[in-house]
Amino acid sequence: MIETLVTQFIALDLLFRVLLSLLVGFCGALVFSKLKLSMAFVLGPLMFVLIFQMVFQLAYFPIEYRIFIQAAIGTYIGLGVRKEHIRSLKGLHYPVLITFVSLFLTMVVSSLLITWLTSMDLVTAIFATIPGGVFDMAILSIEFDANITSVAMMQMIRLVGIVVVFPFWINRIVKSNKQHATPTIKQHKERPTHPKSKFAITLLIGLIGAIIGHYLAIPAGPLSISMFAVAFYNLKTN
C-alpha cells in the first residue's frame, strides 16, 4: 500500500515538473517573441528553462519522448524536399562536393582546436562547429550525449555573427549584380491549401519513420529515417 502511494506520488511529481518545464519554456518563447529576438521559439525556451533549472533544479522532461520531437523535426525537414529541387541538382555536383569538403575540413579543424584550447569534449565541439541550424544541431547532440546548452549557444553566436557580418559583404555583390541584371516580372503565387487528411498522413509517415529509426538503433535514426520517409513520400505524391 505504502509503495503504491509512493509510486503515485513520484509519478505526480514528475508530471508536475514536466508541465512546469513546458510552461516555463512557453513563457520564454512568448517573451523572446514579444522582444522580436531571432529564433524566439528556440532560444527563448532554452534560456528560460536553463535559468529555471539553475535556480530551482525542477526542470524535467522524459527522455523517452524525444522520439516524437525528432519525428516532428524530421517530418518538417522532409517536407522541404521537392521534385524541382532534385532536378536543380543536375550540374551542381562539383559545387556540392567543394562545399561539403570545405565545410567538413573547417568543422574538423575548428573542433580539434576547441578541444585543445578548452575543456570542452570533442563530441560537443563537433556539434557546436557543424554549419547547421541551432535547433537541428541541438536535438542531434542529445543523441550523442553532448552538452546541448553549449551546442545551442555556440550555434546561436555563429548565426548572429553571420547575420551581422555577411550582409555588408553580400550587399555589395547584390548591388553589383543589379547593375548588370535584366528586369524581371514578379509573379504572385497563391499559397496552396491542403486538406487536414494530408497533414495527418504526413505526420503518420514521419512517426512511422521515426519508430523504424529507433528500432534500427542507428545514430539519430528517428530524425533521419522520418526525414527520408517524408521526403520520399513528398517526391512521389507532391
Side-chain angles (χ1 to χ4, degrees):
M1 182 66 178
I2 296 177
E3 291 181 356
T4 305
L5 289 175
V6 171
T7 303
Q8 292 178 351
F9 177 77
I10 293 174
L12 288 174
D13 178 63
L14 293 178
L15 177 61
F16 172 75
R17 290 173 61 184
V18 169
L19 294 175
L20 191 60
S21 301
L22 291 173
L23 179 61
V24 171
F26 183 69
C27 291
L30 288 180
V31 171
F32 271 53
S33 179
K34 290 292 184 182
L35 295 175
K36 296 183 179 180
L37 300 175
S38 61
M39 303 291 292
F41 286 87
V42 176
L43 300 180
L46 172 67
M47 297 303 298
F48 269 56
V49 174
L50 176 62
I51 295 171
F52 176 72
Q53 177 69 354
M54 291 173 61
V55 175
F56 299 103
Q57 296 289 319
L58 289 175
Y60 174 75
F61 194 84
I63 198 68
E64 297 83 6
Y65 293 147
R66 68 184 178 188
I67 183 175
F68 298 105
I69 301 175
Q70 294 188 53
I73 298 171
T75 300
Y76 182 77
I77 297 174
L79 281 171
V81 180
R82 300 185 180 277
K83 292 180 180 179
E84 54 265 28
H85 297 155
I86 302 299
R87 297 191 193 101
S88 65
L89 288 177
K90 294 180 179 179
L92 293 178
H93 46 283
Y94 286 123
V96 169
L97 180 62
I98 293 171
T99 302
F100 177 80
V101 172
S102 60
L103 292 177
F104 178 78
L105 292 176
T106 303
M107 180 268 294
V108 170
V109 173
S110 300
S111 57
L112 291 176
L113 281 175
I114 289 173
T115 54
W116 181 49
L117 296 173
T118 68
S119 59
M120 184 179 292
D121 62 279
L122 182 59
V123 176
T124 301
I126 289 174
F127 279 104
T129 54
I130 292 176
V134 178
F135 191 50
D136 304 334
M137 292 303 104
I139 291 297
L140 280 175
S141 66
I142 300 176
E143 285 288 316
F144 299 89
D145 297 323
N147 189 327
I148 183 175
T149 305
S150 299
V151 171
M153 292 303 296
M154 289 186 66
Q155 288 285 353
M156 180 191 68
I157 293 171
R158 177 187 63 81
L159 179 63
V160 171
I162 290 174
V163 171
V164 171
V165 175
F166 273 69
F168 294 101
W169 175 55
I170 296 175
N171 190 42
R172 292 189 175 185
I173 299 176
V174 172
K175 286 182 177 179
S176 176
N177 290 340
K178 282 183 178 180
Q179 294 176 357
H180 304 286
T182 57
T184 56
I185 301 175
K186 294 184 178 180
Q187 296 181 351
H188 177 71
K189 294 183 179 180
E190 294 184 359
R191 187 175 181 178
T193 57
H194 299 289
K196 293 181 179 179
S197 59
K198 288 187 177 181
F199 175 66
I201 293 173
T202 304
L203 282 181
L204 181 61
I205 291 173
L207 182 59
I208 293 173
I211 294 173
I212 293 173
H214 174 72
Y215 282 104
L216 288 177
I218 58 178
L223 192 153
S224 57
I225 301 299
S226 62
M227 177 186 68
F228 285 122
V230 173
F232 179 79
Y233 173 71
N234 199 26
L235 290 173
K236 288 294 183 181
T237 65
N238 197 31

